[in-house]
Amino acid sequence: MNKFDKKLRQMAAEEKIEMPDQVKKKMEATFLTLPPKETKYKQFAVMPRMAFAAACLAFMLIFVMPNVSVVYAESMEKIPLLGDLIHVVTIRNYFYSDRTHEMDIDVPSVSNGSDGNAADRINDDVDELTQELMKQFYDELEIFGSKGHGSVYVDYDVQTNTPRWFTLKLSVNMVAASGSRYYKYYHIDRNTGEITKLSDLFKTEDYNRILTENIKAQMHQRMQEDSSQTYFMKNAGFGFEFADVSGDHNFYFNDDGDLVIPFDKYEVAPGSMGCPEFTIEIDEIRDIMKDEYQNINSFK
């Protein structure tokens, strides 16, 4: 049992659970069906009643409690034979709603015994981000009150989860006068147990130039083929173009093992373009990638 499991079990033990009236009524009806107390001459008949009561308790623990307590349900999944080992769970949800404001934040937590330090670093970063978003939301709510409009939504998706590679995608969507959406990708190379950045994939220092040129070429091709697409390029009338792809830029591997470079809304294009992504085939950059990341089958 790792420290994350212990923490969940402690949370489950300490959580105050209020049993719904409907559940209380069902339990009372169940106990009313128990036979009346027997005299001392029929004391051996107590055993069936005890077995029935034990069955009721087991029913409560296995079927009712998971629906009453989210923490209990998640903790139960850690118990051998009751659930498969899971690596990511929603440990809490922050929710607020009124006529002009709404917040709905799902907070994931990564747990993996062999990748404990990397998982802890991801959890700390996610917690810091969600706390910052909540503070911003409540600060604006206090300043503008009912005169303002705003919302923030955060959810996540486990994109890859194999013995070789792990990718968690965190999605943040904020709506005020205009909407903004961005993502954060977290990767763990399970061969090393370390968080992996874009720069870690390459063995040459000019990788960012090569990636940037590839992406700009794709931008030009997309604009030529579809007049509705436009990016922050010099020839597109904006007078500037995005600089380059940094070493800690978002990335992920698609099902074919190719490298995908996603951009946030407004990062490389007007808001109407949303969050564009660019796929770079591994064969195009194989010679600058480290050996351990060249085999696309290693991510299956």
Side-chain angles (χ1 to χ4, degrees), residues 21 34 57 202 207 237:
D21 291 338
L34 293 175
L57 178 59
F202 302 97
Y207 71 89

Side-chain angles (χ1 to χ4, degrees), residues 184-237:
K184 290 201 70 173
Y185 290 81
Y186 300 94
H187 312 278
I188 297 179
D189 182 343
R190 287 184 170 162
N191 278 355
T192 63
E194 298 293 333
I195 293 177
T196 304
K197 301 189 301 181
L198 180 64
S199 59
D200 297 327
L201 305 178
F202 302 97
K203 58 186 177 183
T204 61
E205 296 183 356
D206 63 342
Y207 71 89
N208 56 343
R209 176 186 60 80
I210 296 174
L211 296 182
T212 301
E213 290 178 354
N214 186 298
I215 292 172
K216 287 182 178 180
Q218 291 191 51
M219 289 180 174
H220 281 298
Q221 181 176 357
R222 290 183 184 185
M223 289 190 295
Q224 290 178 353
E225 295 176 352
D226 185 353
S227 59
S228 67
Q229 294 200 29
T230 182
Y231 299 92
F232 293 152
M233 307 291 292
K234 288 183 179 179
N235 297 333

Side-chain angles (χ1 to χ4, degrees), residues 54-72:
C56 289
L57 178 59
F59 175 83
M60 283 290 295
L61 291 175
I62 296 177
F63 297 104
V64 177
M65 291 292 283
N67 295 305
V68 175
S69 170
V70 175
V71 174
Y72 181 91

Side-chain angles (χ1 to χ4, degrees), residues 21-188:
D21 291 338
Q22 184 178 3
V23 176
K24 291 180 181 178
K25 292 178 180 179
K26 288 185 178 180
M27 289 300 298
E28 290 173 356
T30 300
F31 285 117
L32 286 175
T33 63
L34 293 175
K37 184 177 180 180
E38 300 291 343
T39 65
K40 61 181 179 180
Y41 301 106
K42 297 183 179 180
Q43 57 183 345
F44 292 106
V46 173
M47 294 304 296
R49 292 173 55 201
M50 294 178 61
F52 188 80
C56 289
L57 178 59
F59 175 83
M60 283 290 295
L61 291 175
I62 296 177
F63 297 104
V64 177
M65 291 292 283
N67 295 305
V68 175
S69 170
V70 175
V71 174
Y72 181 91
E74 294 167 351
S75 298
M76 191 178 68
E77 291 186 87
K78 298 293 186 179
I79 302 175
L81 303 181
L82 287 183
D84 296 331
L85 176 65
I86 58 177
H87 297 287
V88 180
V89 295
T90 301
I91 58 171
R92 66 181 64 91
N93 170 269
Y94 297 109
F95 182 83
Y96 175 92
S97 179
D98 62 24
R99 296 181 62 183
T100 58
H101 296 81
E102 183 167 286
M103 175 180 67
D104 192 354
I105 299 178
D106 284 335
V107 182
S109 186
V110 181
S111 172
N112 189 289
S114 61
D115 306 318
N117 292 334
D120 288 344
R121 288 170 57 193
I122 292 175
N123 294 336
D124 289 343
D125 192 79
V126 170
D127 183 66
E128 181 179 350
L129 173 62
T130 53
Q131 293 298 324
E132 179 181 339
L133 291 172
M134 287 177 58
K135 183 180 184 305
Q136 180 179 344
F137 176 83
Y138 283 118
D139 285 347
E140 293 181 356
L141 182 63
E142 182 177 357
I143 294 173
F144 300 105
S146 61
K147 296 181 179 179
H149 291 77
S151 60
V152 56
Y153 307 97
V154 179
D155 57 14
Y156 66 92
D157 176 52
V158 178
Q159 288 201 321
T160 306
N161 196 357
T162 71
R164 176 65 180 87
W165 190 259
F166 171 84
T167 296
L168 175 70
K169 175 184 177 182
L170 197 71
S171 303
V172 179
N173 188 20
M174 304 179 67
V175 180
S178 61
S180 98
R181 187 174 184 87
Y182 64 90
Y183 307 104
K184 290 201 70 173
Y185 290 81
Y186 300 94
H187 312 278
I188 297 179

